[in-house]
C-alpha cells in the first residue's frame, strides 16, 4: 500500500523530535489491514512496532516501508538463522527497508552473527542488531533432546556473551534473565524483553510474566508487549498507562 494511501487512512506521522519510547508493540495480526488499523490508534512517540514472521509473510516488505515512512520505528523480528552468506544478504535487505532493529539466532554461531553485522554496515542509518539466545519456549528437557548438556542459564549467558563480543547490540531475553545478563554483560548491551504483563492485564498464554516496572528495574532496555495493548479497547490509553508506570 502506498504511503499516500496510508496517510489518507489516517496513519500518524512522526514528530521530528521523536521520543525514545521503551515500549515495542508486537503487531501479531494476520494481515496488513489489521496492522494498519492498529497503527492509526497509536503514535511513534508512544511506541515502536514489532513485525514478526506471520505479518511479514502475509503483508510483505511494503508494509514495513509504509510504517517506516509514517514515522514508526520498526523491529523486524524474523530471527534469521542460516549460513553466514545468506544471513548477511537477508540482514542487508532488512536494513535497506529502514527498520530500526532486527534479530538473528545466536545459535547460528559467531561467524553467522558477524556476517549479519557486515550485512547492515553499509546502510546509512544502521539498525540495531540483536540476538535471540534460547527461545523461552524451550525447556531444559528440550535442550537434552537436542544433545545440549549445558544448563539453560549457562547456555543463555554463553550465547549472549558470544553475541556481544561479536559486535551485536544486545539480546532478546526473558525479563527474569535480565539481572543475570546485566551482571555478566554490563550496562551497554540492549536487553529486549517479551513476557511483560501490567497487573491489570490478562496473562494469556505467557508463563513467566513480569510487570513493566519490574522489567525496567531488572535492567530491560525495551519491553515487547502485545495483547495487553493490541486487544485493549483503547490501545493509546493502555500505552499511556504502561508508559506512566515506567517513567
Ligand atoms: O501478546 P504478548 O505480549 O504475549 O506478545 C509477546 C510477543 O513477544 C509475541 O510477538 C511473541 O511472539 C514475542 N516473544 C515472546 N517470547 C519470546 C520471544 C518473543 O513472547 N521468548
Amino acid at each position: 500500500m502506498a504511503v499516500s494511501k496510508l496517510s489518507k487512512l489516517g496513519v500518524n506521522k512522526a514528530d521530528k523530535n521523536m521520543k525514545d519510547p521503551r515500549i515495542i508493540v508486537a503487531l501479531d495480526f494476520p494481515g496488513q489491514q489489521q496492522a494498519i488499523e492498529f497503527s492509526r490508534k497509536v503514535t511513534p512517540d508512544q511506541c515502536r512496532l514489532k513485525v514478526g514472521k506471520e505479518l511479514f509473510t502475509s503483508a510483505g516488505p511494503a508494509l514495513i516501508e509504509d510504517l517506516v515512512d509514517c514515522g514508526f520505528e520498526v523491529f523486524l523480528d524474523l530471527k534469521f538463522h542460516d549460513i553466514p552468506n545468506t544471513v548477511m544478504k537477508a540482514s542487508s535487505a532488512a536494513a535497506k527497508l529502514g527498520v530500526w532493529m532486527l534479530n538473528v539466532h545466536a545459535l547460528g554461531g559467531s561467524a553467522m552473527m558477524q556476517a549479519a553485522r557486515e550485512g547492515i554496515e553499509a546502510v546509512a542509518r544502521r539498525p540495531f542488531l540483536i540476538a535471540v539466545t534460547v527461545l523461552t519456549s524451550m525447556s531444559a528437557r528440550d535442550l537434552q533432546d537436542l544433545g545440549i548438556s549445558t544448563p539453560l542459564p549457562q547456555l543463555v549467558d554463553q550465547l549472549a556473551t558470544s553475541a556481544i563480543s561479536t559486535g551485536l547490540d544486545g539480546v532478546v531475553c526473558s525479563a527474569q534473565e535480565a539481572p543475570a545478563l546485566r551482571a555478566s554483560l554490563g550496562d551497554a548491551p540492549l536487553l529486549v524483553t517479551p513476557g511483560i504483563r501490567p497487573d491489570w492485564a490478562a496473562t494469556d498464554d505467557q508463563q513467566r510474566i513480569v510487570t513493566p516496572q519490574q522489567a525496567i528495574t531488572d535492567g530491560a532496555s525495551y519491553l515487547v508487549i502485545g495483547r495487553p495493548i493490541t486487544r485493549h479497547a483503547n490501545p493509546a490509553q493502555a500505552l499511556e498507562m504502561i508508559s506512566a508506570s515506567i517513567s
Side-chain angles (χ1 to χ4, degrees):
M1 186 183 290
V3 175
S4 55
K5 197 166 172 193
L6 270 181
S7 302
K8 278 183 205 147
L9 284 170
V11 174
N12 299 292
K13 287 279 182 188
D15 185 78
K16 272 188 184 157
N17 304 309
M18 193 169 161
K19 292 181 190 164
D20 180 23
R22 303 278 198 116
I23 301 167
I24 305 172
V25 178
L27 292 184
D28 291 324
F29 295 114
Q32 171 174 298
Q33 191 189 336
Q34 297 92 335
I36 297 290
E37 275 169 19
F38 177 83
S39 72
R40 294 170 64 187
K41 297 176 184 167
V42 295
T43 71
D45 270 359
Q46 292 178 300
C47 63
R48 275 132 175 154
L49 302 176
K50 179 173 89 69
V51 174
K53 288 189 173 87
E54 181 191 13
L55 182 57
F56 187 76
T57 303
S58 137
L63 173 68
I64 306 292
E65 289 176 323
D66 287 341
L67 292 173
V68 170
D69 282 343
C70 289
F72 286 100
E73 294 203 304
V74 175
F75 171 18
L76 186 59
D77 178 20
L78 297 182
K79 301 183 183 73
F80 294 138
H81 188 171
D82 210 313
I83 61 170
N85 183 58
T86 300
V87 169
M88 179 171 67
K89 295 199 165 146
S91 301
S92 173
K96 285 176 189 156
L97 291 175
V99 301
W100 165 74
M101 177 178 276
L102 71 147
N103 59 1
V104 297
H105 269 287
L107 277 164
S110 56
M112 189 207 77
M113 291 192 278
Q114 175 65 34
R117 183 68 219 246
E118 285 165 20
I120 63 174
E121 279 309 332
V123 178
R125 193 167 169 239
R126 181 179 81 72
F128 288 122
L129 176 65
I130 63 170
V132 176
T133 55
V134 180
L135 292 169
T136 50
S137 54
M138 295 198 77
S139 65
R141 176 64 199 266
D142 292 324
L143 294 180
Q144 271 174 16
D145 289 347
L146 292 172
I148 300 172
S149 55
T150 309
L152 210 153
Q154 196 182 319
L155 185 60
V156 167
D157 187 70
Q158 210 169 305
L159 291 167
T161 302
S162 165
I164 301 310
S165 56
T166 308
L168 270 64
D169 300 298
V171 295
V172 182
C173 65
S174 140
Q176 294 182 351
E177 293 162 354
L181 287 176
R182 273 281 167 248
S184 114
L185 304 175
D187 290 338
L190 301 178
L191 299 184
V192 178
T193 62
I196 305 294
R197 284 293 178 275
D199 45 23
W200 45 262
T203 53
D204 304 304
D205 53 357
Q206 293 285 8
Q207 301 292 325
R208 297 182 298 134
I209 55 165
V210 171
T211 64
Q213 302 96 306
Q214 191 61 51
I216 294 290
T217 303
D218 286 348
S221 314
Y222 294 105
L223 314 179
V224 174
I225 310 178
R227 289 161 289 183
I229 297 167
T230 57
R231 296 209 181 152
H232 195 277
N234 185 338
Q237 187 188 39
L239 264 170
E240 285 309 316
M241 287 193 287
I242 299 171
S243 300
S245 76
I246 59 175
S247 64

